[in-house]
Amino acid sequence: MSFDTLANDTSLQTTIAALKANGIESQTVNTGAEAKEWILKTIPEQAEVMTMSSVTLETIGVVEAINESGKYDSVKKKLMSMDRNTQTGEMQKLGAAPEWSIGSVHAITEDGKVLIASNTGSQLPGYAYGSQHVIWVVGTQKIVPHLDQAMKRLEEYIFPLEDEHMQQLYKMGSSINKLLIFNKEGTPGRITVLFVKEKLGF
């Protein structure tokens, strides 16, 4: 199957229903611009927000809006001002449990499973448990039939693109070191997937 083709409406609605059964809410918008507008209306001003590393968030302008507008308590901005040599423990605690975590995922299955891979694992604690509110912005090309296809999408499609992206940014490659799979979320309303009917991110 193609991993960069937007899902049809049947696949999308099947996935939304499965996510709901697994404790994860969903919203759908048509464009990245609408996604940005939805996010900025949903997150209260002055809330503590961590923008996780995400090509999707960068593309739609959410990273700049959260971290540079002065309207939010930006965890990313705090972390950038800290000294990794002397404040590592404080930085890890701050990044592990922000009030709001915003990012994206690598694949979502039609039976409601969510897959997120990471090199360092820094975004995973907030997603898994630490944050009170999680928003994932997801282009519908990331919907796949089942977990085997999700892994295939990650390893064969996403990883080469992410590796190249990291080489361009930091002159170093990436690696699939840590993997988080959501089968179910136990806290109602904690996680929302914002599906976008536009190809965003990898």
Side-chain angles (χ1 to χ4, degrees):
M1 66 177 290
S2 173
F3 291 124
D4 65 350
T5 301
L6 296 176
N8 60 39
D9 283 342
T10 299
S11 176
L12 175 59
Q13 293 307 316
T14 297
T15 304
I16 287 171
L19 286 170
K20 187 173 182 63
N22 291 341
I24 298 173
E25 300 298 319
S26 302
Q27 298 285 333
T28 304
V29 296
N30 290 316
T31 67
E34 291 177 7
K36 178 182 177 182
E37 182 180 3
W38 185 93
I39 290 166
L40 298 182
K41 282 182 178 178
T42 299
I43 301 176
E45 290 194 9
Q46 303 309 314
E48 182 186 60
V49 188
M50 176 68 171
T51 54
M52 303 301 183
S53 297
S54 165
V55 173
T56 297
L57 293 191
E58 292 170 5
T59 301
I60 66 176
V62 166
V63 172
E64 183 178 5
I66 295 293
N67 297 328
E68 304 301 332
S69 67
K71 295 180 179 180
Y72 304 92
D73 182 6
S74 166
V75 177
K76 181 76 77 173
K77 204 158 189 177
K78 288 180 183 176
L79 291 173
M80 294 295 287
S81 70
M82 297 172 78
D83 186 343
R84 187 168 293 279
N85 293 319
T86 61
Q87 296 178 288
T88 300
E90 295 171 61
M91 293 173 73
Q92 287 174 324
K93 289 178 183 179
L94 189 61
E99 181 185 2
W100 290 78
S101 286
I102 314 176
S104 191
V105 306
H106 293 106
I108 298 181
T109 68
E110 288 181 345
D111 59 351
K113 293 179 172 60
V114 181
L115 183 145
I116 306 148
S118 177
N119 183 2
T120 65
S122 61
Q123 74 271 46
L124 303 185
Y127 287 165
Y129 181 75
S131 293
Q132 298 172 49
H133 309 280
V134 176
I135 298 173
W136 290 320
V137 186
V138 181
T140 64
Q141 83 277 8
K142 296 184 180 183
I143 293 175
V144 295
H146 46 72
L147 199 55
D148 286 348
Q149 285 294 319
M151 287 300 301
K152 191 171 183 179
R153 184 179 199 278
L154 172 63
E155 294 170 351
E156 297 182 11
Y157 176 72
I158 294 172
F159 175 69
L161 294 172
E162 177 64 19
D163 191 53
E164 181 181 355
H165 180 63
M166 294 298 288
Q167 290 282 3
Q168 291 173 350
L169 286 178
Y170 306 114
K171 308 300 181 190
M172 59 183 290
S174 187
S175 183
I176 304 172
N177 290 336
K178 299 171 186 181
L179 193 63
L180 177 63
I181 299 173
F182 269 80
N183 291 318
K184 190 169 285 190
E185 169 55 43
T187 303
R190 191 178 84 90
I191 299 178
T192 300
V193 176
L194 181 59
F195 282 114
V196 187
K197 294 182 177 180
E198 186 173 270
K199 193 162 68 171
L200 295 170
F202 302 144

